[in-house]
Amino acid sequence: MSFLFKSIAEYQSDLLSGQTNCVSVVEHYIQEIAAHKNLNAFVEVFEEQSLKRARALDHKLNSGDKPGKLFGVVVAIKDVICFKDHKVTAASKILEGFISLYSATAVQRLIAEDAIIIGSCNCDEFAMGSTNENSTHGKVHNALDHSKVPGGSSGGSAVAVQAGLSMVSLGSDTGGSVRQPADFCGIVGFKPGYGKISRYGLIAYASSFDQIGIFGNAIDDIETVLDVIEGPDDYDSTTSTSSNKQKVTDAKPVIGYFKNALDHPSLDVEIKQSIYDLLDNLKEAGYNVKAYEFDLLDYVVPAYYVLTTGEASSNLSRYDGLRYGYSSNSMESLDKFYTSTRSDGFGKEVKRRIMLGTFVLSAGYYDAYFTKAQQVRQKLKDRANEIFSECDMLIMPTVPATAFAINDFQKDPIAMYLADIYTVFANLVGIPGISVPLFKHSNSMPFSVQVMSNNDNELSLLSFSKSLLHDFDYRK
């Protein structure tokens, strides 16, 4: 694998000094994507448009115009993020042939700061999955070991950065879909707090959980991209109006961790020991580290799947085959047409979650399941507020194990759901989280530590994560 740059700042310095230009860089990435086609990371590569954009940016620089914050930066986007006049399928047959009529706010902001969108990346269908095997475009392979999954649902976006096929990429994170594939691929994956980045133009899975996230090799690069795409948006009333320009101090943050999360039987012994070693090293380095017993841990996955499948059932009801996308040839009756279209158009995992969601929203079971899960969610938020009144950062594993083998969970989807135990907490309570690649397992695969902070504390979270990479990188 050929990596072109170490950081956005270094790359842009080379552009400004004339050591390289946008056209040659885009040509390099197009060649790399073609050379690694077997990874199946991309759904579509925007070759012609990217080269045209690169030529225009080179002309802009040569003309003396001020470059944007992301000038020349090559970005890949997940195939659930709309880009005007380009296909967006959510990796589903039901959106076959659909061309987006507008660009997501995040994409508009990237382009406004002179970024180059190189292509759209493969993912689990409608962002539902943890392995990137649930896609109408086929499986994505982990670049470190092709027999392993890259994680999901944003597996293609993760592999694009992992394999040097783009500088940074955008994914979406509903219950860990940026942090978990970042862990499996050995890169940085960041999910800001709910509402920090506009969801306008992000195809919905579960609207009160979904958040656009960022993949990169360097935390400084993620910080640069966040600065461009965050902020209020008139098209998304759930975006936060609070400032993300909080002051980052030199004081060491207080670190918390859930003891029962680290002692959970699902956690790989080597990952458990590595996280405990990190906590011990943080104490030795002068950090105040606090242990918490978290009695709600076993409720997070059930609550998450009740609520997200309920929201998915509602969100995906719009795909009927009448207005856009795939349509069945069945014309016996409208009922048969709907049934045939949705049965043929949706994949197995999406149909499973629609049925689960429809069940928990049904009249006889709504209070027993959906209402109860909402009450658990509120308890989790209250507990998070208590914890963050005492500590600044919360440390947990990202995933209970290293990258799964392909086909491991095809016969047991419940086991795959339970593997989300460490990531769904951040989405349930709406706080930011990051997967920081610090470790290498004895099986040669990477794994990360997950760090979370309170809302509107993204810059402090990124600053602490940089300290972890600088001072506690156990891969060295």
Side-chain angles (χ1 to χ4, degrees), residues 181-194:
D183 177 285
F184 283 4
C185 292
I187 61 173
V188 182
F190 172 67
K191 180 200 86 73
Y194 183 77

Side-chain angles (χ1 to χ4, degrees), residues 72-83:
V73 174
V74 177
V75 184
I77 59 174
K78 184 176 179 179
D79 185 32
V80 291
I81 299 173
C82 293
F83 187 14

Side-chain angles (χ1 to χ4, degrees), residues 9-177:
E10 182 184 281
Y11 162 60
Q12 290 181 329
S13 176
D14 289 346
L15 283 175
L16 292 171
S17 65
Q19 293 182 49
T20 189
N21 59 67
C22 294
V23 168
S24 63
V25 167
V26 169
E27 287 174 342
H28 165 86
Y29 281 107
I30 289 171
Q31 290 168 5
E32 287 298 302
I33 292 168
H36 295 89
K37 196 173 182 180
N38 61 321
L39 296 175
N40 200 28
F42 281 82
V43 171
E44 188 177 5
V45 183
F46 312 139
E47 292 188 26
E48 188 177 326
Q49 181 180 357
S50 295
L51 287 168
K52 182 179 178 181
R53 172 92 167 149
R55 285 190 287 269
L57 290 175
D58 284 337
H59 177 74
K60 177 178 180 176
L61 193 62
N62 293 332
S63 300
D65 293 341
K66 184 181 177 181
K69 292 178 182 178
L70 294 176
F71 185 87
V73 174
V74 177
V75 184
I77 59 174
K78 184 176 179 179
D79 185 32
V80 291
I81 299 173
C82 293
F83 187 14
K84 187 178 180 182
D85 299 327
H86 294 79
K87 293 176 185 174
V88 58
T89 70
S92 179
K93 182 180 176 181
I94 203 125
L95 276 172
E96 191 174 71
F98 178 68
I99 306 293
S100 182
L101 303 175
Y102 64 96
S103 289
T105 297
V107 171
Q108 291 174 339
R109 291 175 178 175
L110 290 173
I111 293 170
E113 292 293 341
D114 293 338
I116 300 168
I117 312 297
I118 193 77
S120 61
C121 290
N122 203 349
C123 58
D124 282 301
E125 185 181 4
F126 281 99
M128 298 180 190
S130 303
T131 63
N132 219 148
E133 295 173 285
N134 308 317
S135 169
T136 192
H137 307 295
K139 298 177 176 70
V140 178
H141 296 270
N142 193 311
L144 293 173
D145 182 343
H146 294 190
S147 71
K148 307 287 188 186
V149 302
S153 62
S154 309
S157 296
V159 170
V161 172
Q162 176 198 39
L165 313 182
S166 69
M167 294 179 179
V168 291
S169 65
L170 297 187
S172 66
D173 191 311
T174 305
S177 288

Side-chain angles (χ1 to χ4, degrees), residues 80-299:
V80 291
I81 299 173
C82 293
F83 187 14
K84 187 178 180 182
D85 299 327
H86 294 79
K87 293 176 185 174
V88 58
T89 70
S92 179
K93 182 180 176 181
I94 203 125
L95 276 172
E96 191 174 71
F98 178 68
I99 306 293
S100 182
L101 303 175
Y102 64 96
S103 289
T105 297
V107 171
Q108 291 174 339
R109 291 175 178 175
L110 290 173
I111 293 170
E113 292 293 341
D114 293 338
I116 300 168
I117 312 297
I118 193 77
S120 61
C121 290
N122 203 349
C123 58
D124 282 301
E125 185 181 4
F126 281 99
M128 298 180 190
S130 303
T131 63
N132 219 148
E133 295 173 285
N134 308 317
S135 169
T136 192
H137 307 295
K139 298 177 176 70
V140 178
H141 296 270
N142 193 311
L144 293 173
D145 182 343
H146 294 190
S147 71
K148 307 287 188 186
V149 302
S153 62
S154 309
S157 296
V159 170
V161 172
Q162 176 198 39
L165 313 182
S166 69
M167 294 179 179
V168 291
S169 65
L170 297 187
S172 66
D173 191 311
T174 305
S177 288
V178 167
R179 290 159 290 150
Q180 188 251 30
D183 177 285
F184 283 4
C185 292
I187 61 173
V188 182
F190 172 67
K191 180 200 86 73
Y194 183 77
K196 191 60 63 176
I197 298 173
S198 171
R199 290 181 297 109
Y200 180 72
L202 172 67
I203 293 176
Y205 161 18
S207 302
S208 72
F209 291 78
D210 297 340
Q211 184 62 80
I212 288 175
I214 309 164
F215 292 100
N217 284 306
I219 294 174
D220 282 337
D221 294 347
I222 285 174
E223 201 168 79
T224 301
V225 175
L226 177 66
D227 183 56
V228 168
I229 65 175
E230 69 167 351
D233 179 20
D234 290 342
Y235 292 106
D236 179 3
S237 62
T238 65
T239 49
S240 172
T241 56
S242 59
S243 171
N244 196 33
K245 307 300 180 187
Q246 72 274 16
K247 186 178 180 182
V248 178
T249 68
D250 292 331
K252 284 182 167 65
V254 177
I255 311 301
Y257 70 96
F258 296 155
K259 192 173 187 307
N260 52 330
L262 285 181
D263 294 338
H264 199 274
S266 69
L267 184 61
D268 175 273
V269 173
E270 196 170 324
I271 295 176
K272 171 183 173 178
Q273 189 57 53
S274 297
I275 303 292
Y276 268 125
D277 288 345
L278 170 63
L279 292 167
D280 288 340
N281 291 337
L282 285 166
K283 290 176 189 174
E284 291 171 9
Y287 287 87
N288 183 3
V289 178
K290 295 185 175 185
Y292 292 91
E293 288 294 337
F294 191 64
D295 55 356
L296 296 170
L297 184 67
D298 290 334
Y299 295 93

